[in-house]
Amino acid sequence: MKKRRDYALPFRYIISASLLVIVVVTILQVIARFIFDKPLVWSDELARFILIWMVFIGAAVVSFDDKHMAVELLQEKMSPKVKLITTLIMRAMILVFLAITAYSSIELVKVSHYLESGALEIPFSYWRVSATVGCVLMFICIVIKSIHDIKDYRAGHYTNSSIIEEVKA
């Protein structure tokens, strides 16, 4: 089986860099507060802002890897064809939810653009658009994963292995 391109790789790097920035900013805050007795006003806000974006980008990566939490008790006993069909139905429902959520969040982003965060003075729309972007990225990742699964099934090597099957291997 040919190894597929990891479309989520740039996002994995973004998540790693984001986590590094959060750790560095938090350590700087601790040093500034307890050693120099001059707390950084903006550090907590920046860490929260980055964390929010990291979570939604991370959700897209998990969607690409198909590793969201799931109860696969019934799917483990299914034939590959039935497993693919049930997986595609489940993903179709998730896509509908993501499309509704992304569309619904656009109005909230527009309204919140006129409010700014306290320390960094970042418009709240930049905070809230992370949910919209995350939903769109998850949508794209799920579509790509579904296309790969259909191609794998047609080629005769579809597994969509569960975590339990991966641990056994």
Side-chain angles (χ1 to χ4, degrees):
M1 184 166 125
K2 184 172 90 172
K3 184 161 170 76
R4 289 213 160 85
R5 180 175 175 210
D6 184 6
Y7 292 103
L9 187 62
F11 300 115
R12 294 179 205 281
Y13 287 126
I14 291 170
I15 293 167
S16 299
S18 298
L19 183 59
L20 179 65
V21 170
I22 290 172
V23 169
V24 168
V25 166
T26 304
I27 290 171
L28 286 174
Q29 169 66 345
V30 169
I31 291 169
R33 178 178 300 244
F34 294 110
I35 294 177
F36 300 115
D37 200 28
K38 299 267 187 198
L40 304 173
V41 179
W42 52 267
S43 64
D44 182 51
E45 200 171 283
L46 179 63
R48 278 185 284 137
F49 180 76
I50 294 171
L51 178 67
I52 290 168
W53 275 94
M54 190 175 77
V55 165
F56 283 105
I57 293 171
V61 171
V62 172
S63 295
F64 182 78
D65 294 340
D66 204 22
K67 298 296 180 194
H68 276 290
M69 287 179 28
V71 178
E72 298 173 335
L73 186 65
L74 296 175
Q75 275 194 322
E76 290 176 6
K77 309 293 183 204
M78 295 177 184
S79 68
K81 182 177 184 177
V82 175
K83 186 187 281 191
L84 176 64
I85 291 169
T86 58
T87 299
L88 292 175
I89 290 170
M90 175 192 63
R91 287 182 186 157
M93 290 188 292
I94 292 169
L95 291 175
V96 168
F97 171 79
L98 289 171
I100 291 169
T101 304
Y103 180 76
S104 301
S105 68
I106 292 171
E107 191 62 34
L108 179 62
V109 171
K110 288 178 187 176
V111 169
S112 64
H113 186 68
Y114 302 104
L115 301 172
E116 292 181 343
S117 62
L120 295 174
E121 298 180 357
I122 299 173
F124 277 121
S125 59
Y126 294 4
W127 297 66
R128 295 204 168 104
V129 77
S130 62
T132 310
V133 171
C135 287
V136 170
L137 289 174
M138 283 186 269
F139 191 99
I140 292 167
C141 289
I142 290 171
V143 168
I144 290 170
K145 180 68 175 167
S146 298
I147 291 169
H148 287 173
D149 285 351
I150 292 168
K151 286 180 179 179
D152 287 348
Y153 178 78
R154 288 183 178 161
H157 44 76
Y158 171 74
T159 57
N160 191 17
S161 62
S162 68
I163 299 220
I164 294 171
E165 292 169 354
E166 289 176 11
V167 171
K168 288 180 184 177

